[in-house]
Amino acid sequence: MQTLTKSAALILQGASDNMVDVIWLYDLQEQRFTYVTPSNQTLTGFSREEVLQMPMRQTMTEQSFEQVSALLAEALAAVSGGDESLRKSTLELEIVTKAGRIVPVEVAASLVTDQAGCITHLQGVTRDISQRKQMESQLHEELVKMRTAELEEARARAESANRAKSAFLANMSHEIRTPMNAILGLTYLLQLDQVTPAQALRLTKIDNAAHHLLAIINDILDVSKIEASKLVLDEADFLLEEVVEGA
């Protein structure tokens, strides 16, 4: 049984030594790493001996260290109070290599409790996610380009539609205004003839309605000119009373 245990330990040791991900153990009392797999040197450039002498702060960026410190304090308080939800956490950090390069990593860590129920260590696995981050960045850039192109195309279609609408309104306003002027002119000539009071009243109503419709047509034409940037609004102060009285 003892031989089997040793064999299993050797197999486990060999597996961990050949892993790409970094397995580590951190002593919370001594504030130092007590174990790290050889893959750490491939990832960070630091040897195992160097890492075991380094404080956690030195292995990552200041922002990442603050993030870890805050989460660790929260987890320790929660687990000590009986809440196990934060015993295990996965987060993305930025570590600093021996050459000073920043590497994005994903860290899965958990608190370790001894037989007496005291939290003594933090253990975890660190994985290099540089390629994933690069792919996400490229995908984001492509999505931004696609979205920008879609917005530009939509803007171009909207401008084209506005121009078409303005041209249509201008043309329709002109086509309608011409016969309206004829109606107004003929109504005026009829009013000059000898007509009965009833006919005069009807001609007056026709004249008023035609003038009202012509005013609407002129407004539509002005709006189309504004949208086509052929007419500029002049902003100026005015007296509301004069506008109401003149209406």
Side-chain angles (χ1 to χ4, degrees):
M1 187 69 175
Q2 186 177 2
T3 304
L4 180 61
T5 303
K6 288 182 178 180
S7 298
L10 289 173
I11 293 174
L12 181 61
Q13 181 68 40
S16 63
D17 287 348
N18 288 281
M19 286 185 64
V20 176
D21 296 341
V22 180
I23 301 175
W24 48 267
L25 185 66
Y26 186 79
D27 191 315
L28 294 173
Q29 301 298 322
E30 298 182 7
Q31 295 289 298
R32 68 180 184 87
F33 290 95
T34 57
Y35 176 77
V36 64
T37 54
S39 52
N40 178 78
Q41 186 163 0
T42 304
L43 176 61
T44 69
F46 291 106
S47 66
R48 180 183 299 182
E49 291 72 21
E50 289 175 314
V51 173
L52 298 184
Q53 301 299 320
M54 292 169 57
M56 182 183 291
R57 179 187 295 272
Q58 192 175 339
T59 64
M60 61 187 70
T61 63
E62 187 65 27
Q63 183 178 0
S64 292
F65 179 73
E66 291 177 359
Q67 182 181 354
V68 171
S69 298
L71 182 58
L72 180 58
E74 185 180 0
L76 287 172
V79 175
S80 298
D83 182 2
E84 295 288 323
S85 61
L86 293 180
R87 178 178 286 275
K88 297 181 179 180
S89 299
T90 300
L91 63 162
E92 293 184 2
L93 303 172
E94 290 182 332
I95 63 172
V96 182
T97 68
K98 191 172 184 178
R101 187 167 60 92
I102 305 297
V103 178
V105 296
E106 182 181 77
V107 178
S110 61
L111 296 173
V112 180
T113 306
D114 62 12
Q115 294 181 351
C118 298
I119 301 173
T120 60
H121 290 78
L122 184 67
Q123 65 180 6
V125 178
T126 299
R127 172 171 296 176
D128 184 356
I129 56 173
S130 299
Q131 290 185 353
R132 192 185 81 187
K133 284 294 184 181
Q134 184 176 4
M135 292 178 61
E136 289 176 355
S137 178
Q138 291 175 350
L139 177 60
H140 176 71
E141 291 178 1
E142 290 298 322
L143 290 175
V144 170
K145 290 180 181 178
M146 290 175 58
R147 183 56 178 163
T148 301
E150 290 173 356
L151 290 174
E152 181 61 27
E153 183 180 353
R155 184 189 64 80
R157 287 199 303 265
E159 289 182 351
S160 177
N162 279 333
R163 288 192 296 268
K165 181 184 69 175
S166 298
F168 172 78
L169 289 175
N171 182 64
M172 289 302 297
S173 297
H174 174 74
E175 294 297 328
I176 296 174
R177 188 168 55 177
T178 300
M180 284 303 304
N181 286 326
I183 293 172
L184 287 169
L186 291 174
T187 301
Y188 174 74
L189 292 176
L190 288 173
Q191 287 176 322
L192 296 178
D193 292 340
Q194 292 182 354
V195 294
T196 65
Q199 291 174 332
L201 179 61
R202 292 168 184 169
L203 288 173
T204 299
K205 290 183 177 179
I206 293 173
D207 184 71
N208 291 338
H211 273 97
H212 179 67
L213 183 56
L214 183 60
I216 294 176
I217 294 171
N218 287 331
D219 289 340
I220 293 174
L221 182 58
D222 288 342
V223 169
S224 66
K225 288 180 178 179
I226 292 172
E227 291 185 344
S229 299
K230 295 181 179 179
L231 182 65
V232 179
L233 294 177
D234 184 18
E235 296 184 4
D237 296 333
F238 63 92
L239 294 176
L240 182 60
E241 294 81 359
E242 294 182 356
V243 176
V244 174
E245 290 174 358

